Amino acid sequence: MECVATESVATDGIDVPLTSEADGEFPFRTELSLGGLIAAWERSAQSDDPVRAALARVMGEALEKAPELREPIVDPAVIERHRPLVRALMSLAFPPASWEQDFASALVPFRLQSFYATPQFERLFLTAAGLVRGRVKVGSYIDARAGLTLRALSTYAHILRKFYDISMNVDAPMIFTVRDPEMGFDRHFKVAFDGQFVSAEPVGKLPELSEDGRRRLLANLSDPWLMRELLPPELFVFRGFAVLKATEVTDQEILSSLKRDLIDRESVVAPASFRRIQDRLRALFHRPALEFSLAAIEGDQVLMLSSTNGCEHGCIFADSKHYRLRDFDNSIYERAAAEGRPMFLADLSRQPGLGSIEQKILRAGFGSLVVAPLYYQEALIGMLELRSPRAGDLTPLHSMKLQEVLPLLSMAVKRGLDELNGRVQAFIKEQFTAIHPTVEWRFRRAVLTAFEKQQPEGGSIQLEPIVFEGVNPLYAMTDIRGSSTQRSQAIRADLTTHLRLALDVLRAAYQAKDMPILDGLAYQIGQQVARITDGLRSGDELGVLRFIRERIEPVFPQIQRVGGDVRPRLEAYRAAMDPRLATVYRQRKDFDESIALINDTLSAYLDGEEARAQAMFPHYFEKQATDGVEWGMYVGGSLLESGAFDSLHLRNLRLWQLMVLCGMARRAETLKSQMPVPLETTQLVLAHHAPLAIRFRLDEKRFDVDGAYNVRYEVIKKRIDKALVKGTGERVTQPGTIAVVHSQPEEAAEYREFFEYLQARGDLRPGVEELDLEPLQGAEGLRALRVAVEVDPDRGPDDGAARIDTAVGNPARRD
């Protein structure tokens, strides 16, 4: 029978308390009766099994002395007076062999009133009055009006099947949840009702069901209100008893609940959620005093979450205690991470060689401990810690249950770290704009430290200084020779053309109509041409354009109808104007296109080579493209979170820098034939072997050298491209060459070695010039080495400047 003895209905996923019997909602009359059970025993007396038949006859003899058990039982005292006999009768429904272990009870039909139960069921489920206690969860497809729907449907299913030959299935999955008073946590049971000893009987004449009523009923089988209208409940009575059997599904329910809990964004950072997860783990492991912690790994920090942290902010960082990875050296945490599996210490007091962390846990009153690593996509992201006060509570026997929860907790930790990372990234973008990937770790650490020191009231975030000590600078540039002069010449040429076109218009108008003012304006144009012919000064470009737009062009609409050659001259003037700039843009366009071609080509080439250099060894890199490409690098252990650094990497990058300059010089030479204005490039390196410190300037959003001594490096860097060879007036940078400016003999010696290798490779031409430089403002005693780059067009651009030929005996091999 599909009967359900629940007093309330819940939607799927919601627990509802079981209500008392006194609510009066259930409309059917029910009578407790053992008649069906007694009839079963009487049938057994006719069995071919002599033992069973003999037992049934003994049972019949006992019933002759208790005739009131054959009648409907109204007074519970009847059951109590004949308790031994009732127990014997019940052996047909309750197997004696599993009596002590089973969770089962006999109930008044469709009520939660128990009159007989196994010891385990009585301990967990029954109140002193014999009512079933706990919470129930049922399917969501039932209409829950008036709180009686499921029971009513079950009773009508019985009536329809027995009297009207209509089959109706109202099975609904049901889970009873009850608090175990001894263990202190919830336990979950799947329940099933056996209604073989329940019988429905009509009161008086069985009501008829018309064809129309049958059609309506079949179309609305889930509507108990329609059934009540067609088959009034007062016309039926239910006699007998139902058997409720419960199977424990605590583990399955806890795992399902954990999955639902951990979907929540604040599952491990909200106090109530964290404690709820801890309660579920206590139930799963059957350890009521179990305590659990989560450790999330963020860089070199460990963020420890526990129920005692006082989660308030909904953030895995703000609501955790912070440690360093080194704090867990030689601990069970380190061993679990190293071996990639859970580590069990079943009895801490008997464990030899405990580390400081384990000793601290032991002193806190815990006797057993398990630590398990948490992974996301094979990367270690955190640890799970379970502790119990009693030794032996946590052993390797719990490994199977532990493996069920580890993936769930890993996802929760990953989500918490992702949210923290999003918050940090948002702050970094707000405060620092773009950050080079090599040093991003240091900015993250600074932001996290600032978060940690932030006042609980939400005060302003103060960032610590971000300084990298002992880094080695590398600076180089490919400059376009004479770009300022050529740009000035292009501007002057375009302005002169613009002025002469305007002059042509005014002259044509003056010839067509004798107006002295036109001749006066022509004179002023001549003065402007003469001034810029002598040289373009600052502000001349804007001054000329303002003169044309304010003094000359307003006249054009008034003179365009005077006749003569004015209209053709005006058309020529307007056709010569760039539509976007409203001025002549010819020479400048050719020059700008040539500059852009060089910058784009060399910048793209440098980006590709820089990616290879980062793969060799991570470093900080910055680039600026204006008239050529200028780039700087900082290399050192302090830039890396690991701190790993070796001088070999530095020498390798210095050599790589020279090889890239060779590649840039060759590409610039190849581009000449494609340029509207052929331009030449020069290559320059500043050798600086003394380490320095760099500091991030928050107000300027960039790195700069730190300290008065280190400022000298920046001064030299800004001025060396204009440096002159002593006594000659010649610039140290020359087209087709690389100049290495240095101040120390050991710097020159190192670059001579590099030159020799690159000359053998064919990247450089033979010979090295040694040059003394004129003193620069703020820098004296500078010298330079200068070598010519092999820019033979037939050689072709190489496939990668940083590719080093390792063929023994063939160092000059070309790609």
Side-chain angles (χ1 to χ4, degrees):
M1 174 183 176
E2 302 88 352
C3 64
V4 180
T6 176
E7 294 291 336
S8 55
V9 182
T11 57
D12 188 29
I14 300 177
D15 289 346
V16 177
L18 300 174
T19 58
S20 71
E21 184 70 9
D23 57 12
E25 292 284 0
F26 190 61
F28 288 91
R29 198 177 100 204
T30 62
E31 294 179 355
L32 173 61
S33 172
L34 302 181
L37 182 64
I38 292 172
W41 276 108
E42 290 174 344
R43 288 192 297 272
S44 295
Q46 310 302 320
S47 172
D48 294 335
D49 184 345
V51 176
R52 186 175 181 183
L55 183 60
R57 287 193 294 272
V58 172
M59 202 69 67
E61 294 171 0
L63 283 169
E64 290 179 2
K65 300 176 183 179
E68 56 189 337
L69 290 180
R70 294 181 178 273
E71 303 297 326
I73 300 171
V74 179
D75 185 359
V78 173
I79 298 292
E80 293 303 321
R81 284 196 298 270
H82 302 287
R83 176 65 65 179
L85 178 56
V86 170
R87 179 168 183 173
L89 289 169
M90 285 292 178
S91 63
L92 275 182
F94 297 83
S98 57
W99 172 258
E100 297 294 337
Q101 292 78 35
D102 281 354
F103 293 88
S105 176
L107 307 175
V108 177
F110 297 100
R111 304 285 181 181
L112 290 177
Q113 178 70 52
S114 171
F115 66 90
Y116 183 79
T118 64
Q120 292 282 21
F121 190 94
E122 184 174 357
R123 181 182 73 84
L124 276 184
F125 285 97
L126 296 186
T127 66
L131 295 175
V132 178
R133 67 183 180 91
R135 304 186 306 278
V136 64
K137 181 167 63 181
V138 299
S140 61
Y141 69 95
I142 300 296
D143 179 2
R145 287 176 295 179
L148 56 85
T149 308
L150 193 56
R151 281 192 304 152
L153 287 174
S154 298
T155 55
Y156 277 114
H158 188 100
I159 292 170
L160 293 173
R161 182 171 58 251
K162 181 175 181 179
F163 298 115
Y164 299 99
D165 194 27
I166 295 176
S167 178
M168 174 181 168
N169 181 15
V170 293
D171 279 342
M174 293 186 62
I175 302 294
F176 276 18
T177 299
V178 63
R179 191 78 170 176
D180 191 321
E182 295 180 5
M183 301 298 288
F185 52 75
D186 286 346
R187 297 173 68 178
H188 308 276
F189 295 82
K190 184 178 181 180
V191 296
F193 291 90
D194 184 352
Q196 63 174 311
F197 299 112
V198 176
S199 177
E201 300 295 338
V203 178
K205 183 181 178 182
L206 182 69
E208 294 184 2
L209 190 61
S210 67
E211 286 301 318
D212 179 67
R214 181 180 290 267
R215 283 194 301 271
R216 290 175 60 199
L217 191 147
L218 289 173
N220 300 276
L221 284 176
S222 63
D223 187 352
W225 301 95
L226 175 63
M227 296 181 187
R228 188 167 183 170
E229 175 189 334
L230 298 175
L231 302 171
E234 60 269 16
L235 299 181
F236 298 91
V237 61
F238 283 87
R239 296 190 179 96
F241 66 92
V243 176
L244 183 155
K245 295 182 179 180
T247 303
E248 185 162 16
V249 290
T250 296
D251 289 1
Q252 298 94 309
E253 277 296 301
I254 288 175
L255 291 173
S256 296
S257 299
L258 279 173
K259 290 178 182 178
R260 291 193 297 270
D261 290 342
L262 293 172
I263 289 173
D264 184 8
R265 185 180 66 85
E266 297 184 351
S267 57
V268 294
V269 293
S273 298
F274 198 93
R275 287 193 294 270
R276 183 165 58 248
I277 292 172
Q278 180 169 271
D279 288 342
R280 297 199 194 285
L281 291 175
R282 287 174 173 177
L284 181 65
F285 289 92
H286 293 185
R287 298 293 182 261
L290 183 77
E291 291 191 10
F292 116 96
S293 298
L294 279 178
I297 299 175
E298 169 56 37
D300 67 342
Q301 281 190 307
V302 177
L303 314 178
M304 187 71 73
L305 289 163
S306 69
S307 58
T308 60
N309 284 354
C311 304
E312 298 176 355
H313 306 88
C315 172
I316 199 171
F317 186 85
D319 294 325
S320 58
K321 290 185 177 180
H322 303 166
Y323 303 90
R324 296 293 178 187
L325 280 174
R326 60 177 177 271
D327 297 335
F328 295 87
D329 289 349
N330 303 316
S331 70
I332 186 174
Y333 277 85
E334 185 181 55
R335 294 197 299 275
E339 298 187 22
R341 64 181 180 88
M343 302 292 293
F344 291 85
L345 297 181
D347 189 346
L348 279 169
S349 63
R350 297 179 179 273
Q351 187 72 25
L354 289 179
S356 59
I357 291 180
E358 292 90 334
Q359 291 176 4
K360 183 178 179 181
I361 294 173
L362 180 61
R363 288 194 299 270
F366 296 98
S368 56
L369 171 71
V370 57
V371 171
L374 300 176
Y375 292 94
Y376 180 78
Q377 294 182 349
E378 301 183 357
L380 181 68
I381 62 169
M383 304 291 283
L384 165 69
E385 178 190 288
L386 299 176
R387 308 172 298 279
S388 183
R390 192 173 63 182
D393 268 4
L394 297 170
T395 70
L397 295 176
H398 294 101
S399 293
M400 294 297 293
K401 290 184 177 180
L402 193 63
Q403 293 300 332
E404 293 282 354
V405 301
L406 290 181
L408 305 177
L409 294 170
S410 295
M411 291 300 298
V413 170
K414 179 63 169 59
R415 185 170 59 250
L417 289 173
D418 285 346
E419 291 171 358
L420 172 62
N421 184 63
R423 184 182 174 195
V424 172
Q425 289 297 326
F427 191 86
I428 287 176
K429 289 179 180 178
E430 177 185 347
Q431 296 293 325
F432 311 124
T433 63
I435 296 299
H436 194 276
T438 299
V439 296
E440 184 177 351
W441 66 272
R442 182 63 184 88
F443 287 83
R444 288 181 55 81
R445 179 182 293 178
V447 173
L448 292 175
T449 301
F451 286 170
E452 193 168 14
K453 294 179 179 179
Q454 186 181 16
Q455 296 299 318
E457 296 79 11
S460 61
I461 296 177
Q462 299 295 324
L463 289 173
E464 64 186 13
I466 298 177
V467 180
F468 295 101
E469 301 281 353
V471 297
N472 299 272
L474 287 82
Y475 173 79
M477 67 184 299
T478 292
D479 187 37
I480 298 175
R481 170 51 56 91
S483 59
S484 298
T485 301
Q486 294 192 59
R487 178 178 286 105
S488 178
Q489 291 173 352
I491 294 172
R492 190 166 65 246
D494 282 342
L495 290 177
T496 300
T497 301
H498 193 159
L499 289 168
R500 293 190 184 282
L501 288 169
L503 182 61
D504 288 346
V505 175
L506 293 177
R507 284 176 174 170
Y510 184 66
Q511 289 175 2
K513 190 170 185 179
D514 185 10
M515 295 178 64
I517 187 63
L518 298 179
D519 190 46
L521 290 175
Y523 170 77
Q524 293 178 26
I525 290 176
Q527 292 293 100
Q528 294 283 347
V529 172
R531 186 169 66 252
I532 63 175
T533 301
D534 294 337
L536 200 64
R537 296 182 298 273
S538 176
D540 280 354
E541 181 179 3
L542 291 177
V544 169
L545 292 176
R546 186 180 303 113
F547 165 76
I548 293 173
R549 288 166 186 166
E550 294 178 0
R551 303 291 301 278
I552 305 302
E553 289 183 345
V555 177
F556 289 168
Q558 302 172 38
I559 63 174
Q560 62 182 354
R561 294 186 179 88
V562 299
D565 291 337
V566 174
R567 186 174 295 277
R569 298 293 184 183
L570 268 175
E571 290 176 355
Y573 175 90
R574 289 165 178 158
M577 298 299 110
D578 181 87
R580 182 173 59 88
L581 301 176
T583 185
V584 174
Y585 182 61
R586 296 172 182 170
Q587 300 286 344
R588 280 175 292 176
K589 182 180 180 182
D590 290 344
F591 176 78
D592 289 344
E593 287 179 352
S594 299
I595 291 285
L597 181 60
I598 291 180
N599 285 348
D600 293 347
T601 302
L602 298 189
S603 185
Y605 169 72
L606 178 58
D607 288 343
E609 294 302 315
E610 161 60 10
R612 295 188 182 98
Q614 287 289 350
M616 296 179 199
F617 188 78
H619 54 275
Y620 181 83
F621 178 85
E622 55 188 5
K623 178 189 70 175
Q624 183 178 2
T626 52
D627 289 354
V629 181
E630 176 184 0
W631 39 294
M633 303 161 61
Y634 294 102
V635 187
S638 65
L639 292 167
L640 306 182
E641 193 168 10
S642 65
F645 178 67
D646 188 275
S647 60
L648 177 64
H649 299 304
L650 178 59
R651 285 175 50 81
N652 181 66
L653 287 175
R654 286 174 179 156
L655 175 58
W656 167 86
Q657 184 184 53
L658 288 175
M659 299 171 79
V660 169
L661 286 175
C662 291
M664 295 174 83
R666 282 192 290 273
R667 279 162 175 75
E669 183 68 21
T670 304
L671 292 174
K672 280 186 179 181
S673 60
Q674 306 174 38
M675 298 180 197
V677 178
L679 301 173
E680 293 187 316
T681 62
T682 63
Q683 333 305 319
L684 175 66
V685 172
L686 174 58
H688 188 91
H689 281 32
L692 46 76
I694 57 174
R695 174 187 294 266
F696 187 81
R697 308 292 180 186
L698 188 59
D699 54 343
E700 300 177 16
K701 303 290 191 294
R702 67 179 186 86
F703 275 105
D704 200 356
V705 294
D706 189 46
Y709 173 77
N710 295 327
V711 170
R712 181 175 181 270
Y713 170 76
E714 285 294 319
V715 171
I716 296 174
K717 191 171 73 172
K718 287 181 172 63
R719 296 174 180 169
I720 55 172
D721 64 316
K722 302 294 192 298
L724 302 177
V725 178
K726 184 176 288 188
T728 66
E730 174 190 279
R731 292 271 288 272
V732 68
T733 54
Q734 292 295 318
T737 67
I738 298 175
V740 177
V741 176
H742 63 90
S743 59
Q744 302 297 326
E746 56 269 22
E747 297 169 349
E750 182 179 54
Y751 278 91
R752 280 187 172 278
E753 292 179 9
F754 296 156
F755 292 160
E756 183 179 349
Y757 168 70
L758 294 177
Q759 287 167 342
R761 257 179 56 105
D763 292 312
L764 297 177
R765 293 176 178 173
V768 177
E769 295 181 87
E770 295 187 16
L771 307 171
D772 292 327
L773 302 184
E774 295 284 357
L776 297 174
Q777 184 180 356
E780 297 184 1
L782 296 179
R783 308 194 71 205
L785 301 175
R786 191 165 65 189
V787 291
V789 179
E790 178 55 74
V791 292
D792 180 4
D794 296 334
R795 184 182 191 276
D798 49 15
D799 294 330
R803 179 178 295 175
I804 298 176
D805 192 344
T806 56
V808 177
N810 186 23
R813 174 186 170 188
R814 296 174 177 174
D815 296 330

